[in-house]
Amino acid sequence: MEENQGKEEKKIRVYMDGCFDMMHYGHCNALRQARSLGDELVVGVVSDAEIIANKGPPVTPLHERMIMVKAVKWVDEKASRYKQIKRTEGVSSTDIVGRMLLCTRERSISDNHNHSSLQRQFSHGHSPKFEDRGSVTRAGTRVSHFLPTSRRIVQFSNGKGPGPDARIVYIDGAFDLFHAGHVEILRVARGLGDFLLVGIHNDQTVSAKRGVHRPIMNLHERSLSVLACRYVDEVIIGAPSEVSKDMITTFNISLVAHGTVAENIEYEKELCNPYSVPISMGIFKVLESPLDITTTTIIRRIVANHEAYQKRNEKKTESEKRYYEDKTYVSGD
């Protein structure tokens, strides 16, 4: 009898840590790559105090960052050997904060950094939307190009459809700046059925309702962030704002859900209620949102600490600039 017979093969446990502030699909892809190196992925999340000491105030506090990390489908534990993984091009937390700072810069100068006026820009959009997302701005903030590929979407996808008798729950929205509030309402929605289908509204739909500076993240970026969530089974990229009878039939939807905390909480007052069909069919349900957080909440945090984040981004710009100037091809996923 061989010595190792009957013994369980030792698992390879991979450890990765980070701030995971304003968590985005780049973070998720790094975790996916790390998980592919072994059998289990343990993730350490840096404390608020440590971030403040080294970078300045975090946008999202520790308890929200923990919710975000736990929700990533490739994470096994939250809490050595080292292997470099490939950077996900086109995004960073510095980049995302930079996008918001770009939207506020013009009026912040004329309004002497008045917080309420900065906030209004995200609601109404008083200046042209910044489109050159592949250059360094005059203020030094680099806003990157995101180049979506079908392979990346496949990597993030579960690759499985619903079973023949599955109870399919549908929930839709912009899911911009994917945050802990999104994660928690998706968790609740998933608990109501066997398969969670999430509709991601296109950029034009979001801009029409939220102002020209929204969404901060484009459609494919938002779709990847949602796909990385362990509670989500499938997404509709560019879902219509109105849930139609044909759509319900096509996807065999059993229940349409909407949270009590959302950017669009007055949908009943709209000229055309986007949920009128599922309401008439008796398959619409309003869910109590576990957290009182919206995308506007995240934007307000940036606005409230505008100068601090501006300084932080200026410091980080040099390292970002060096990366792009010295960038060479790196194989990997």
Side-chain angles (χ1 to χ4, degrees), residues 148-323:
T149 63
S150 58
R151 185 164 180 264
R152 180 69 76 218
I153 293 173
V154 170
Q155 288 171 335
F156 274 52
S157 174
N158 287 348
K160 296 179 181 178
D165 300 317
R167 178 174 168 81
I168 299 172
V169 179
Y170 178 77
I171 188 168
D172 63 357
F175 296 97
D176 195 16
L177 300 179
F178 196 63
H179 52 70
H182 290 139
V183 167
E184 288 295 87
I185 196 63
L186 292 174
R187 178 182 60 80
V188 173
R190 181 61 175 81
L192 297 176
D194 308 302
F195 191 93
L196 181 60
L197 176 64
V198 181
I200 317 290
H201 297 156
N202 65 32
D203 296 347
Q204 292 75 21
T205 297
V206 179
S207 293
K209 292 184 177 181
R210 304 282 168 257
V212 296
H213 291 315
R214 302 277 286 273
I216 303 298
M217 311 291 283
N218 70 40
L219 175 60
H220 286 93
E221 292 177 308
R222 293 182 282 119
S223 297
L224 286 178
S225 293
V226 174
L227 268 175
C229 181
R230 67 173 68 249
Y231 308 118
V232 176
D233 295 291
E234 181 64 286
V235 303
I236 300 176
I237 302 174
S241 58
E242 181 180 345
V243 182
S244 66
K245 178 67 167 65
D246 181 69
M247 181 177 168
I248 292 169
T249 302
T250 299
F251 292 100
N252 195 26
I253 295 169
S254 302
L255 181 71
V256 175
H258 194 280
T260 54
V261 175
E263 301 277 357
N264 183 25
I265 56 174
E266 297 187 337
Y267 54 87
E268 292 178 323
K269 297 179 181 179
E270 294 182 9
L271 185 62
C272 295
N273 185 338
Y275 304 110
S276 60
V277 171
I279 290 172
S280 69
M281 296 173 65
I283 61 168
F284 181 76
K285 185 177 180 64
V286 175
L287 309 180
E288 189 68 33
S289 298
L291 293 177
D292 186 12
I293 304 173
T294 65
T295 299
T296 298
T297 305
I298 306 300
I299 291 172
R300 283 174 178 161
R301 292 174 184 176
I302 298 290
V303 168
N305 292 282
H306 180 265
E307 292 185 7
Y309 290 123
Q310 181 71 59
K311 291 177 181 177
R312 185 174 83 174
N313 268 29
E314 288 171 356
K315 288 180 180 178
K316 294 186 72 176
T317 292
E318 281 306 311
S319 61
E320 294 261 324
K321 183 181 178 182
R322 283 194 299 272
Y323 168 79

Side-chain angles (χ1 to χ4, degrees), residues 142-153:
R142 188 184 197 285
V143 183
S144 307
H145 280 299
F146 170 59
L147 303 175
T149 63
S150 58
R151 185 164 180 264
R152 180 69 76 218
I153 293 173

Side-chain angles (χ1 to χ4, degrees), residues 11-56:
K11 291 183 177 179
I12 298 174
R13 288 166 61 82
V14 180
Y15 176 79
M16 181 178 181
D17 60 17
C19 299
F20 302 103
D21 193 19
M22 290 197 70
M23 194 160 181
H24 49 72
Y25 64 92
H27 291 130
C28 298
N29 194 43
L31 293 170
R32 182 189 63 79
Q33 292 181 74
R35 177 63 176 78
S36 70
L37 300 174
D39 303 301
E40 294 179 351
L41 176 60
V42 181
V43 180
V45 183
V46 174
S47 69
D48 290 343
E50 201 167 338
I51 295 177
I52 292 170
N54 292 284
K55 297 184 176 183

